[in-house]
Amino acid sequence: MRQVAALLRAEAADLRAIAEGRGVQGRYADALRDGARELDVRLRETAERYERVQGGLTHWAGELDGFQAEAGRILHAARAEEAGNAGDVDSLAAHRRALARVTAQRDARAAHFADRIRDQIDDEIKDSWWDRCKDAIDEYQSVISFVVDVMGWVATGIAIAAITMTPAGWVAGLAVWLTFGVLAGHLLLASSADGSWADVAMDLFGLLTMKVGTVALTNLRGVRDATKLAAELAAEERAAETSARETRSLRDRTSAVVNRRASTRAERGRARHLRNIARAASVRAGHAASAAEAAVPLPEASRWEAAVVGGDRETANLHKDVQRLRAAYPESPEVQRASLGAEGHKGVFQGTWIVATAVDGVDKGAGTSDLFPWKTSYGPYGHFKNRYVREVGSRW
């Protein structure tokens, strides 16, 4: 402890020289002086802690030597009496009482110095649960960094594979959980100053783009459902109108019979019956057309159509169906109005995927990798990320 305190004092003296400006020039000098001045104070405070503890232990060591010497004299006297057969029961009891007194005095002084040392280290340099946690993170930093890098590359691989093939649901879910795992790992590393907060920011940005993309997909699904409902009503209306046109001459004739004064009751009854049949046929035609439209499944987007939106076939299929419904019912203002916003939601989904992929690609390409240590990296990019290395809870 004395040697550590001396080393800290020497380092503090060097920092004090920097803080006083000796040999320091340039635009960085003011910031360097301020940082050196603060660190000088912290190092001297730490040195004082070591010196206080060393002083307490030194005094306790001296007293402990005295107690041990006294206990040794008692033991020596007892053995001498035993060897000369001069000892009796009362003499042995007296030696035991003397040893008990020395032991009690030793324990009392030990407690005194223990309390004194605790008081002396109760300063602003605190050892907290976070310090212990940080020590554990520092110890396993290489393992954590490697696991995080593996999870990041696996998630990127899944995203790349999704461009050309639609992964199973559990695979897509795995990519999301891997992203959360990468964020948790980067948080641990950044909090203990073993990683950059820039990595945490990029992970949060990636999760944000996922959320925005999910909202855009939900909105596109809502637009398609509204357009589909409007199309079913438009199909019903179109079929009913077509059937009505086809039976117009029949309805005109039956109406003339019903309205003619010379028609008999039987003729009017047959005419009304035929007219009701024609109307019912129009209603049935409308219902059949609506049901037929409702039964039309989502169209299957091509591989390229899915690829341009990040490989998400549902997004491509929904947008393609909206386009089909627009083309199928151009005369329906309800269909055209319900389909508004489809391109915007698709564009948001596509844009978030492009931006997230670009950010991840730049980070993977320009950054270093624990999984692929032989990979080339771009030095200034690493320097940029190192600017955001800050330990959480540090008093220094």
Side-chain angles (χ1 to χ4, degrees), residues 148 150-160 162 167-185 202-214 217 312 349:
V148 168
V150 170
M151 290 192 296
W153 280 99
V154 171
T156 300
I158 293 174
I160 293 174
W170 70 269
V171 176
L174 175 62
V176 176
W177 283 110
L178 285 172
T179 304
F180 277 105
V182 170
L183 172 61
M202 284 188 287
D203 294 338
L204 290 173
F205 178 76
L207 290 173
L208 177 63
T209 58
M210 286 185 184
K211 180 61 178 178
V212 173
T214 301
L217 176 58
D312 191 84
F349 187 94

Side-chain angles (χ1 to χ4, degrees), residues 37-65:
R37 188 175 295 110
E38 180 182 358
L39 187 54
D40 163 39
V41 172
R42 295 301 184 191
L43 287 179
R44 284 189 283 110
E45 290 173 349
T46 307
E48 289 172 4
R49 169 192 268 203
Y50 275 89
E51 289 166 349
R52 289 194 301 268
V53 174
Q54 180 263 325
L57 290 176
T58 299
H59 285 91
W60 165 235
E63 294 197 16
L64 181 59
D65 283 339

Side-chain angles (χ1 to χ4, degrees), residues 3-174:
Q3 290 173 352
V4 171
L7 177 62
L8 291 172
R9 291 284 186 189
E11 296 291 343
D14 292 339
L15 288 168
R16 190 159 54 252
I18 295 176
E20 293 171 357
R22 296 197 294 268
V24 180
Q25 296 180 357
R27 288 186 294 177
Y28 68 95
D30 292 338
L32 183 59
R33 289 191 192 98
D34 293 338
R37 188 175 295 110
E38 180 182 358
L39 187 54
D40 163 39
V41 172
R42 295 301 184 191
L43 287 179
R44 284 189 283 110
E45 290 173 349
T46 307
E48 289 172 4
R49 169 192 268 203
Y50 275 89
E51 289 166 349
R52 289 194 301 268
V53 174
Q54 180 263 325
L57 290 176
T58 299
H59 285 91
W60 165 235
E63 294 197 16
L64 181 59
D65 283 339
F67 292 132
Q68 289 174 335
E70 181 64 23
R73 284 192 295 270
I74 295 172
L75 178 61
H76 179 73
R79 286 179 175 174
E81 292 180 3
E82 182 182 15
N85 296 320
D88 54 18
V89 175
D90 293 337
S91 177
L92 181 59
H95 289 312
R96 286 179 175 170
R97 287 193 298 271
L99 181 61
R101 284 195 302 273
V102 173
T103 302
Q105 292 172 358
R106 179 205 62 186
D107 292 343
R109 294 302 289 170
H112 164 75
F113 282 108
D115 292 339
R116 177 179 169 183
I117 289 173
R118 290 191 190 97
D119 292 339
Q120 288 170 339
I121 66 175
D122 186 19
D123 51 23
E124 58 184 276
I125 307 173
K126 302 295 183 182
D127 294 326
S128 65
W129 67 269
W130 172 243
D131 294 316
R132 295 189 294 272
C133 181
K134 179 183 176 300
D135 289 341
I137 296 173
D138 289 339
E139 183 177 357
Y140 296 103
Q141 180 270 333
S142 59
V143 177
I144 296 173
S145 181
F146 180 80
V147 172
V148 168
D149 200 36
V150 170
M151 290 192 296
W153 280 99
V154 171
T156 300
I158 293 174
I160 293 174
I163 297 176
T164 57
M165 63 184 72
T166 302
W170 70 269
V171 176
L174 175 62

Side-chain angles (χ1 to χ4, degrees), residues 81-367:
E81 292 180 3
E82 182 182 15
N85 296 320
D88 54 18
V89 175
D90 293 337
S91 177
L92 181 59
H95 289 312
R96 286 179 175 170
R97 287 193 298 271
L99 181 61
R101 284 195 302 273
V102 173
T103 302
Q105 292 172 358
R106 179 205 62 186
D107 292 343
R109 294 302 289 170
H112 164 75
F113 282 108
D115 292 339
R116 177 179 169 183
I117 289 173
R118 290 191 190 97
D119 292 339
Q120 288 170 339
I121 66 175
D122 186 19
D123 51 23
E124 58 184 276
I125 307 173
K126 302 295 183 182
D127 294 326
S128 65
W129 67 269
W130 172 243
D131 294 316
R132 295 189 294 272
C133 181
K134 179 183 176 300
D135 289 341
I137 296 173
D138 289 339
E139 183 177 357
Y140 296 103
Q141 180 270 333
S142 59
V143 177
I144 296 173
S145 181
F146 180 80
V147 172
V148 168
D149 200 36
V150 170
M151 290 192 296
W153 280 99
V154 171
T156 300
I158 293 174
I160 293 174
I163 297 176
T164 57
M165 63 184 72
T166 302
W170 70 269
V171 176
L174 175 62
V176 176
W177 283 110
L178 285 172
T179 304
F180 277 105
V182 170
L183 172 61
H186 281 155
L187 273 173
L188 283 177
L189 295 173
S191 299
S192 61
D194 291 317
S196 172
W197 287 101
D199 290 322
V200 176
M202 284 188 287
D203 294 338
L204 290 173
F205 178 76
L207 290 173
L208 177 63
T209 58
M210 286 185 184
K211 180 61 178 178
V212 173
T214 301
V215 172
L217 176 58
T218 300
N219 292 337
L220 179 58
R221 193 181 294 120
V223 169
R224 186 265 177 181
D225 292 343
T227 307
K228 183 74 169 178
L229 179 60
E232 292 171 11
L233 297 175
E236 181 178 358
E237 182 179 351
R238 176 193 289 176
E241 290 177 353
T242 300
S243 178
R245 284 196 301 269
E246 292 174 351
T247 60
R248 179 174 297 173
S249 59
L250 175 61
R251 287 185 289 108
D252 290 343
R253 289 196 307 272
T254 55
S255 295
V257 172
V258 171
N259 295 327
R260 193 169 54 235
R261 292 184 178 182
S263 300
T264 63
R265 179 179 295 179
E267 290 174 340
R268 288 192 178 95
R270 285 194 300 271
R272 290 192 183 97
H273 180 67
L274 292 174
R275 188 168 58 185
N276 289 338
I277 289 176
R279 289 174 177 170
S282 297
V283 172
R284 286 196 302 272
H287 289 169
S290 178
E293 177 56 53
V296 176
L298 273 174
E300 285 293 328
S302 66
R303 181 173 297 180
W304 169 250
E305 290 172 328
V308 296
V309 291
D312 191 84
R313 286 195 174 274
E314 183 181 6
T315 302
N317 292 346
L318 289 171
H319 183 256
K320 191 169 186 176
D321 199 37
V322 171
Q323 291 179 314
R324 177 190 69 82
L325 294 171
R326 280 181 187 155
Y329 304 97
E331 78 287 355
S332 172
E334 289 78 11
V335 171
Q336 304 302 318
R337 187 163 48 248
S339 67
L340 293 177
E343 278 69 29
H345 298 314
K346 177 197 172 187
V348 170
F349 187 94
Q350 186 178 32
T352 55
W353 170 75
I354 291 174
V355 173
T357 302
V359 170
D360 186 60
V362 169
D363 185 57
K364 290 288 191 301

